[in-house]
Amino acid sequence: MAMNDVATARVPGRLADRRRWAALAVLVGSVLLLAIDGTVLYLAVPSLTRDLAPTATQVLWIGDVYSLALAGLLVTAGTLADRIGRKKVLLTGSAAFGVASVLAAFSTSAEMLIGARLLLGVAGATIMPSTLSIIRDLFPDAGERSRAIAIWGAGSGGGLALGPLVGGALLDHFWWGSVFLVNVPVVAVFLITGALLLPESRDPAPGRFDLLSAGLSVAAITPLVYAIKHAVDQGLDAWTASSALFGLAAGVLFVRRQRRAQTPLIDVTLFRNPAFSGAVLADLIAIFALTGLLFFFSQYLQLVRGFDPLQAGLAEMPTTIAMTLVIGVVGWVVARLGVGRAVAAGLLVAAVGLLVVAAAEDANNYLWLALALLPVGLGVGLAMTLTVDAVVSAVPRHQAGAASAIAETAYELGVVLGIAVLGSVMALRYRAGLDVPDAARPAVEESAASALATLDPGSDLAGAVREAFIEAMQTTSVIAAVITAVAALVAWRTIPSGKKDETAGTGSTSGGG
């Protein structure tokens, strides 16, 4: 134990630069896999709907339960990684991720697929916080860490957009289960390279693990998301109210316990710092908007535009390209605007992009949609890179797992809420916008995907379904744009904007917003 701790303290100085950046490549590869797995299923929704016949609520759960499990368990997993070793937890979770991928690939019912996605999320929760923790340990220099996190952010955010392309290429040749089975060889490569390149690190004085706090963290998140989903499917009833109240009560108890605990899972006093709170909120909103858009945009391209899965994946590439470009411009932007204004500018650019997406969904030429996706990807990528850096840089190195868990929880909550909230708005708006005879409503109101899977594509009823789907997409995009613009205002007012040299890090900026 003592020898491990001594080795941990010397890791950054001992590893040659080339090996440190090679280790970063392994970490980015792991988070890229997780991010792709969060969105790779989107293009498969029409085909798995034909095979498994899920309800509209089950479709949302298939997309959401993965990130729901991640969000609920990240705090616990990050704390465990600090205690028993981040590399050990990372590699164990990766192996479990491969096993869960096989179960998902060969699911024979919607319920089985939801269960497999849940297991994927549990395994993924052990991977996500460990990647940022190890980066924090590998790159103690603020400038290098900022660049490393920008690359990590490109992998994490770009993976959300890259998922549909990977899914499209697979679905063009194989059945929908292939989008999960492809994880297995990737995991095998990661286990080998990770064992060779990654250093072990842990908190030398972690304190007692609080099992009750871990349970409360899960109990605070899961019921709230369930309440949103249930409200869409069944309306505002006793289950909706009781689930929401239970989640809120668990959240209050969790915060109170963290304030009193000697070794809390999350240091809630960090949220007294407006810059820290603003960074977490901005990170959550940026991913909320991007995920909510991509989840239904993939379906829109296939169901309305008539693209095949591969064409739809390629059509979303402007988002990925824009998020990758952030690596090259983040230092330049921060040097001229400061962190707070740079985050606000990124969110504002993303909001404008979402508005243009809403307008372009009616356009005959896809070019307008491609141009609209560029500012969305650029703005979200910039905001996410800077906010994650600010969160991770706010704590000492030995608490890297806890800080990483906060950043990752915000990220995954953004994914969960983006699909749950915007997905629910989408479903309600679609049903309200259906201009069809009452006798035909039962056949089409469940979802556009299930309706168009059985209707004659050239029929008037199919045309009405597509029109309702477009209107629902436009409404959802506008709502996401408004929320993102509000987050830009919050970031501008709370995150300091002291300007820095391009070689400096972003985590210790000072100055007014």
Side-chain angles (χ1 to χ4, degrees):
M1 177 77 174
M3 289 180 65
N4 282 338
D5 291 338
V6 171
T8 295
R10 290 163 45 191
V11 160
R14 183 165 52 87
L15 286 174
D17 276 353
R18 186 174 298 177
R19 187 178 174 187
R20 284 194 298 136
W21 290 101
L24 175 65
V26 174
L27 296 172
V28 172
S30 67
V31 80
L32 180 67
L33 175 65
L34 292 180
I36 287 175
D37 215 67
T39 57
V40 72
L41 189 63
Y42 297 178
L43 285 172
V45 169
S47 57
L48 74 84
T49 298
R50 290 190 292 270
D51 287 352
L52 304 181
T55 65
T57 301
Q58 285 176 327
V59 169
L60 287 177
W61 273 112
I62 289 169
D64 218 8
V65 72
Y66 171 78
S67 292
L68 175 60
L70 272 170
L73 294 171
L74 277 168
V75 174
T76 301
T79 306
L80 283 174
D82 282 345
R83 283 164 168 74
I84 66 178
R86 292 152 189 158
K87 176 180 178 179
K88 186 183 300 180
V89 169
L90 180 61
L91 295 181
T92 302
S94 298
F97 195 85
V99 174
S101 296
V102 175
L103 294 176
F106 295 104
S107 294
T108 56
S109 67
E111 292 80 5
M112 182 177 175
L113 182 55
I114 291 171
R117 291 277 287 171
L118 174 65
L119 293 177
L120 279 168
V122 173
T126 64
I127 299 174
M128 291 294 268
S130 297
T131 59
L132 269 178
S133 302
I134 295 173
I135 288 173
R136 178 68 172 85
D137 202 59
L138 278 172
F139 299 96
D141 176 73
E144 283 195 334
R145 185 174 62 248
S146 294
R147 288 190 290 275
I149 289 178
I151 295 170
W152 178 93
S156 187
L160 289 175
L162 194 60
L165 178 61
V166 174
L170 290 169
L171 292 168
D172 212 36
H173 298 91
F174 308 103
W175 96 115
W176 59 264
S178 62
V179 302
F180 298 112
L181 204 58
V182 72
N183 293 340
V184 177
V186 177
V187 166
V189 171
F190 174 73
L191 288 173
I192 296 170
T193 55
L196 294 173
L197 290 172
L198 296 179
E200 182 59 283
S201 63
R202 59 173 60 87
D203 185 346
R208 184 177 65 88
F209 179 72
D210 190 348
L211 187 60
L212 179 57
S213 290
L216 286 172
S217 70
V218 178
I221 295 171
T222 308
L224 289 173
V225 177
Y226 172 79
I228 295 171
K229 292 178 174 296
H230 187 76
V232 174
D233 190 43
Q234 304 292 335
L236 298 174
D237 56 15
W239 275 109
T240 303
S242 59
S243 297
L245 289 174
F246 183 86
L248 290 172
V252 170
L253 291 174
F254 175 78
V255 171
R256 291 182 63 182
R257 186 169 180 84
Q258 300 318 292
R259 286 176 173 171
R260 297 172 181 174
Q262 289 185 339
T263 54
L265 290 186
I266 287 181
D267 184 3
V268 294
T269 59
L270 287 171
F271 288 94
R272 294 175 184 169
N273 181 345
F276 183 89
S277 300
V280 171
L281 179 61
D283 187 32
L284 188 154
I285 295 294
I287 297 302
F288 173 95
L290 181 65
T291 308
L293 170 70
L294 289 178
F295 185 71
F296 291 99
F297 194 69
S298 297
Q299 296 179 54
Y300 159 82
L301 291 171
Q302 294 178 83
L303 300 176
V304 177
R305 293 271 173 177
F307 290 5
D308 63 36
L310 180 57
Q311 288 175 325
L314 289 170
E316 295 183 28
M317 278 300 289
T319 310
T320 308
I321 293 169
M323 296 191 81
T324 304
L325 290 175
V326 168
I327 299 172
V329 302
V330 61
W332 182 86
V333 173
V334 171
R336 281 149 185 80
L337 297 180
V339 179
R341 295 190 189 100
V343 173
L347 291 170
L348 196 59
V349 167
V352 172
L354 287 166
L355 289 176
V356 179
V357 166
E361 281 165 354
D362 259 341
N364 292 325
N365 195 329
Y366 160 75
L367 176 63
W368 296 110
L369 273 173
L371 293 175
L373 291 175
L374 288 171
V376 174
L378 186 63
V380 169
L382 181 63
M384 190 177 72
T385 296
L386 294 175
T387 53
V388 169
D389 192 5
V391 171
V392 174
S393 302
V395 300
R397 282 174 56 191
H398 69 273
Q399 289 184 310
S404 300
I406 293 175
E408 289 299 340
T409 300
Y411 176 97
E412 293 303 332
L413 272 178
V415 173
V416 170
L417 295 175
I419 296 175
V421 175
L422 295 181
S424 301
V425 169
M426 177 82 183
L428 290 173
R429 182 66 181 87
Y430 165 73
R431 293 168 189 168
L434 277 171
D435 185 15
V436 298
D438 290 342
R441 290 191 72 86
V444 299
E445 69 179 357
E446 183 66 36
S447 71
S450 60
L452 293 173
T454 58
L455 293 174
D456 176 4
S459 66
D460 291 340
L461 192 55
V465 167
R466 283 191 287 267
E467 188 64 32
F469 191 84
I470 291 173
E471 291 176 359
M473 277 287 295
Q474 290 175 320
T475 300
T476 305
S477 298
V478 170
I479 292 173
V482 171
I483 294 172
T484 306
V486 171
L489 178 62
V490 171
W492 177 62
R493 297 288 297 174
T494 60
I495 303 175
S497 289
K499 297 182 182 179
K500 318 185 102 187
D501 184 78
E502 290 183 47
T503 59
T506 59
S508 58
T509 341
S510 60

